[in-house]
Amino acid sequence: MFRKHHGQIDHAEYLHLFETGQTPKFLIVGCCDSRVDPALVFDCAPGDLFVIRNVANIVPPAEDRIGHHGTTAALEYGVCNLGVEHVVVLGHAHCGGILSLLQTSGTSNPDSYIDDWMSLVESARASVEKI
């Protein structure tokens, strides 16, 4: 389907990207919400953006090497290997991750991956509630 709709139209561009590799200038940390596609938001061509998507576009703090660090690994790759010049954290309205954070009011379900992930920004929620 992709090749049918896009491959024929931009064949030379895709061939160039295949042969030369990617050299994006922007790294976008965006939400995985299906309604917010960074390439569409910024009207970019393939190869223009290096995109990391996760729940609520969170950039986690650097931590010990124990566990899985997909967002951190992708940031490292974009900056150190691709040499991106700009890092943009792209938020959006009606984010389900942020809504879940606000609804938990600081309580967390130990069996929920989302609650655990959203706990990374608990201090931001607490700060907003003080206002």
Side-chain angles (χ1 to χ4, degrees):
M1 187 66 114
F2 175 82
R3 190 176 271 179
K4 179 181 175 184
H5 290 290
H6 299 284
Q8 301 301 324
I9 298 168
D10 299 322
H11 181 71
E13 183 178 354
Y14 286 111
L15 185 58
H16 175 74
L17 287 171
F18 175 74
E19 291 172 347
T20 62
Q22 59 178 322
T23 56
K25 301 292 183 230
F26 290 86
L27 183 153
I28 308 293
V29 180
C31 186
C32 57
D33 188 305
S34 63
R35 301 166 294 181
V36 186
D37 183 338
L40 293 175
V41 169
F42 292 107
D43 192 27
C44 290
D48 288 348
L49 304 175
F50 186 68
V51 180
I52 303 166
R53 295 179 78 168
N54 63 46
V55 173
N57 51 273
I58 293 173
V59 177
E63 298 178 319
D64 294 332
R65 295 219 178 263
I66 298 170
H68 303 285
H69 303 282
T71 299
T72 308
L75 278 164
E76 178 183 343
Y77 185 79
V79 172
C80 297
N81 294 68
L82 298 178
V84 297
E85 297 174 13
H86 309 280
V87 176
V88 177
V89 178
L90 177 64
H92 69 95
H94 307 290
C95 179
I98 298 300
L99 180 62
S100 75
L101 174 71
L102 295 174
Q103 290 175 339
T104 62
S105 298
T107 60
S108 180
N109 176 354
D111 295 326
S112 170
Y113 291 110
I114 294 173
D115 285 3
D116 185 50
W117 178 250
M118 296 309 298
S119 72
L120 293 171
V121 292
E122 170 58 30
S123 62
R125 183 200 61 77
S127 295
V128 168
E129 285 188 347
K130 289 180 183 177
I131 297 174

